[in-house]
Amino acid sequence: MIVNTRPSILANKTNELLACSGIEFIHEPLTKILSISPSNQALERLRQLDSYDVIIFTSQSAAKFGAPYLQKHTSKNLNLLIMAIGLATQRVLSEHDLVSEVPSGFNSAGLAELIEQGKHEKCLIFCGGKQPQLSFHTPVTLDTFSCYKVIDEESIELSNITGNRKAIFLIYNIQTLEVLVRYSQPTDLEKMNLIVASRRIQEAAFNHGIKGCVVAESPHDEEMTEAAIKLARS
C-alpha cells in the first residue's frame, strides 16, 4: 500500500497517477498549506522589482499564492527573468502567463548554479515562512516574499498505517518527514519504507533510524509514484 502524504491542494496529480496504476493507496495528508498576507516590507519589494536581477519561485504553493501579487506589480515593459525550482512550479506559473527557467537538478543547488552562470547579484524569492534552502547555496542577496505557510494537519492518526510493513510513504519535504516521525513509534520507524524527493530528506530519515528510504529520480509526482509502485510490486 502506498501512502500519499501531500497536502490536499497538491495531492490530485499523485492520486491520479496511483489510481491509474491500479496499486492500493490512500491519501493521508500530514500537512496543509495556508495562504498568508505578505508583510509591508514584502509588498514594498514588489514596488522595486526593477532592482532585482531574478525572481525565483521555490514551490508550487509559492507560484499559486505569489504569482497574482507579482502580476499586479509587473509593468508590460519590465523584462523579468523568472526561475522556478521544478516543472510543477513552472506549470503553475505558466497558468498565470509567466515564463520561467528551471534548473536541471530541480533543486536549490541547481538554482544557485543558474544564478552563478548569469552573474546575478540580487534575487527576490517567493516562498513560505521558512528560510529558503537557496540561502545555503549562494552568497548573493536574497530578499524574500513569504505568501504561505505549512502547518501540521489536524487529527493525524497513523497507528493503523505505520505498523504495516508493506506501507510505502511518499515524502516530498523535511517538514512532512518530521510530522511522520512525531506521530510514529520508534519501533515502527525501523521498518518503515519511504520514497523521498531528495538526498537531504534521505539523510534526515536515516538520522531518525529509518533504514528503508529510497530517493526518487526526481522530486516530481511522476518519478515519485513510479519509484513507489516499483517498490510495492517488488
Side-chain angles (χ1 to χ4, degrees):
M1 178 178 66
I2 297 174
V3 184
N4 178 14
T5 64
R6 300 213 86 176
S8 295
I9 68 170
L10 299 177
N12 287 346
K13 182 68 177 292
T14 303
N15 287 339
E16 289 173 4
L17 291 168
L18 292 172
C20 288
S21 74
I23 206 83
E24 181 186 3
F25 79 96
I26 61 171
H27 179 212
E28 186 68 38
L30 300 185
T31 58
K32 59 183 175 182
I33 298 172
L34 304 175
S35 64
I36 60 174
S37 298
S39 66
N40 290 333
Q41 183 182 40
L43 292 172
E44 180 60 31
R45 287 166 178 164
L46 287 186
R47 289 187 277 271
Q48 301 173 6
L49 283 177
D50 57 354
S51 70
Y52 293 99
D53 300 315
V54 187
I55 308 298
I56 299 173
F57 289 84
T58 59
S59 67
Q60 293 181 66
S61 299
K64 175 181 175 65
F65 297 117
Y69 285 101
L70 180 62
Q71 286 180 310
K72 289 179 182 178
H73 291 80
T74 303
S75 62
K76 292 183 178 180
N77 60 353
L78 182 61
N79 187 21
L80 283 176
L81 174 59
I82 300 175
M83 295 182 186
I85 197 167
L87 298 177
T89 303
Q90 185 183 54
R91 282 194 292 269
V92 176
L93 289 174
S94 68
E95 293 172 2
H96 293 274
D97 298 321
L98 296 173
V99 179
S100 59
E101 295 183 12
V102 177
S104 58
F106 310 120
N107 55 28
S108 296
L111 287 172
E113 289 180 7
L114 288 179
I115 291 171
E116 183 178 356
Q117 290 169 9
K119 301 185 184 303
H120 304 304
E121 298 179 353
K122 188 177 181 183
C123 309
L124 178 62
I125 304 179
F126 284 76
C127 57
K130 296 184 177 181
Q131 181 179 4
Q133 280 296 306
L134 182 57
S135 64
F136 300 107
H137 295 275
T138 178
V140 304
T141 300
L142 301 174
D143 290 341
T144 59
F145 186 95
S146 298
C147 52
Y148 73 95
K149 64 179 179 180
V150 183
I151 63 174
D152 293 4
E153 265 289 1
E154 300 168 358
S155 304
I156 295 175
E157 177 53 61
L158 296 176
S159 59
N160 294 330
I161 305 173
T162 53
N164 183 351
R165 286 181 176 273
K166 295 183 179 181
I168 301 168
F169 292 83
L170 294 172
I171 304 295
Y172 286 81
N173 54 60
I174 291 287
Q175 186 168 345
T176 302
L177 173 66
E178 297 296 340
V179 175
L180 178 63
V181 169
R182 274 202 305 277
Y183 285 88
S184 302
Q185 297 297 321
T187 53
D188 291 332
L189 295 177
E190 297 175 0
K191 56 190 177 185
M192 201 172 274
N193 291 296
L194 309 183
I195 300 296
V196 300
S198 70
R199 296 200 179 280
R200 176 170 165 263
I201 302 173
Q202 184 186 50
E203 291 173 4
F206 287 160
N207 289 337
H208 285 295
I210 302 174
K211 300 176 182 178
C213 185
V214 176
V215 181
E217 289 188 8
S218 93
H220 300 120
D221 294 319
E222 292 84 355
E223 284 74 22
M224 289 285 288
T225 54
E226 181 182 355
I229 292 168
K230 182 179 179 180
L231 180 59
R233 290 173 173 167
S234 63

